[in-house]
Amino acid sequence: MAMWEEEKVEEYRVLLGEGQGEIEEKKSRFICTVRPVHSEKEAADFIEEIKKKYWDARHNCSAFVLGSRQELTRCSDDGEPGGTAGRPMLEVLLGEGLCDVAAVVTRYFGGTLLGTGGLVRAYSGAVKEALKKAETGMMRYGVKLRIGTDYNSVGKMQHLFGKRGIQAEALYGEAVKFTLTVPAGGAEVLKKEVTETTNGKAVIEELDKIYFIDRE
């Protein structure tokens, strides 16, 4: 989550891990690595890491997107003709709706010039190939709740959570306390349902407001 953001967005799409894909065009190899990043420094460190890994490549072109509204973007052609590498790569990341992500495409030159159109297709195609191999998910803004109830209501509560697809952790003591996180927009509805289900006996505490991962 970027430091400059004050107003929270309900959800945004992210990578859950690194991915790599490769394509070949007229004997040139285009190897793309994509990775989640959360700051300009992280993105810069990642780009430098890939450049060192593929130190003998002709080009290591890059693009990254930061912020839950894709506020900050950067791209580099790294010696390729202007607008034929970094910008097409960036457009793929933006078009996929991804945030907090960086991509580096490493090119090993095959001896044949591809032309402007060929380069654009190759660099964007390599990013698309890498994204196919990377797991994505949604970061959702939610409310973390603790719900205390008596043992007579446990079954009803578990049924309610199951019906709504909510993962709840239970702590059993003199009473039962469930801890769970729900999207912010659905918190009030859930509180109402819990109150109705337990005939007003449940104690509902709002612990925090956080982003949580929802795997796609």
Side-chain angles (χ1 to χ4, degrees), residues 15 18-23 30-35 46 61-65 75-76 84-96 98 101-106 119-134 136:
L15 290 185
E18 187 174 301
Q20 189 173 83
E22 180 177 341
I23 64 173
F30 294 84
I31 306 165
C32 180
T33 310
V34 292
R35 182 183 293 176
F46 166 59
C61 304
S62 59
F64 64 84
V65 180
C75 60
S76 168
T84 63
R87 174 55 59 176
M89 293 168 59
L90 180 60
E91 292 298 333
V92 173
L93 298 178
L94 293 171
E96 290 291 327
L98 287 165
V101 59
V104 180
V105 175
T106 302
L119 287 172
V120 170
R121 286 192 299 273
Y123 277 99
S124 59
V127 177
K128 291 175 183 176
E129 192 64 26
L131 291 178
K132 289 179 185 177
K133 309 289 178 60
T136 61

Side-chain angles (χ1 to χ4, degrees), residues 5 14 27 39-40 99 109 114-115 135 152 159 188 206:
E5 295 172 277
V14 295
K27 297 185 179 179
S39 68
E40 287 188 78
C99 303
F109 186 55
L114 300 183
E135 186 180 3
N152 292 330
H159 177 74
E188 292 306 316
E206 189 171 304

Side-chain angles (χ1 to χ4, degrees), residues 13-196:
R13 192 168 181 233
V14 295
L15 290 185
L16 300 182
E18 187 174 301
Q20 189 173 83
E22 180 177 341
I23 64 173
E24 185 174 313
E25 290 288 339
K26 296 182 180 179
K27 297 185 179 179
S28 278
R29 292 175 63 203
F30 294 84
I31 306 165
C32 180
T33 310
V34 292
R35 182 183 293 176
V37 293
H38 301 94
S39 68
E40 287 188 78
K41 185 180 185 306
E42 260 191 65
D45 289 347
F46 166 59
I47 294 166
E48 190 60 31
E49 175 189 325
I50 298 300
K51 285 184 175 182
K52 287 180 179 178
K53 180 178 180 180
Y54 298 109
W55 59 271
D56 57 341
R58 178 72 68 91
H59 305 282
N60 282 286
C61 304
S62 59
F64 64 84
V65 180
L66 291 174
S68 59
R69 293 184 178 83
Q70 301 181 317
E71 295 92 335
L72 180 63
T73 62
R74 296 283 187 273
C75 60
S76 168
D77 295 312
D78 194 36
E80 292 282 30
T84 63
R87 174 55 59 176
M89 293 168 59
L90 180 60
E91 292 298 333
V92 173
L93 298 178
L94 293 171
E96 290 291 327
L98 287 165
C99 303
D100 293 341
V101 59
V104 180
V105 175
T106 302
R107 182 189 184 187
Y108 284 95
F109 186 55
T112 303
L113 296 175
L114 300 183
T116 301
L119 287 172
V120 170
R121 286 192 299 273
Y123 277 99
S124 59
V127 177
K128 291 175 183 176
E129 192 64 26
L131 291 178
K132 289 179 185 177
K133 309 289 178 60
E135 186 180 3
T136 61
M138 298 299 293
M139 290 294 290
R140 302 190 190 279
Y141 189 55
V143 179
K144 188 174 183 179
L145 301 173
R146 181 187 291 136
I147 302 173
T149 187
D150 59 33
Y151 279 84
N152 292 330
S153 300
V154 169
K156 294 177 182 178
M157 294 284 286
Q158 290 174 332
H159 177 74
L160 173 61
F161 297 150
K163 185 175 66 174
R164 292 180 59 106
I166 295 171
Q167 298 291 325
E169 294 182 4
L171 179 64
Y172 296 92
E174 292 184 8
V176 183
K177 293 183 178 180
F178 293 98
T179 303
L180 54 131
T181 303
V182 294
E188 292 306 316
V189 174
L190 178 65
K191 288 178 183 178
K192 183 179 178 182
E193 290 184 341
V194 168
T195 299
E196 292 174 350

Side-chain angles (χ1 to χ4, degrees), residues 197-211:
T197 298
T198 62
N199 295 318
K201 294 179 181 178
V203 177
I204 305 172
E205 300 174 75
E206 189 171 304
L207 302 179
D208 201 1
K209 290 184 177 179
I210 57 173
Y211 277 100

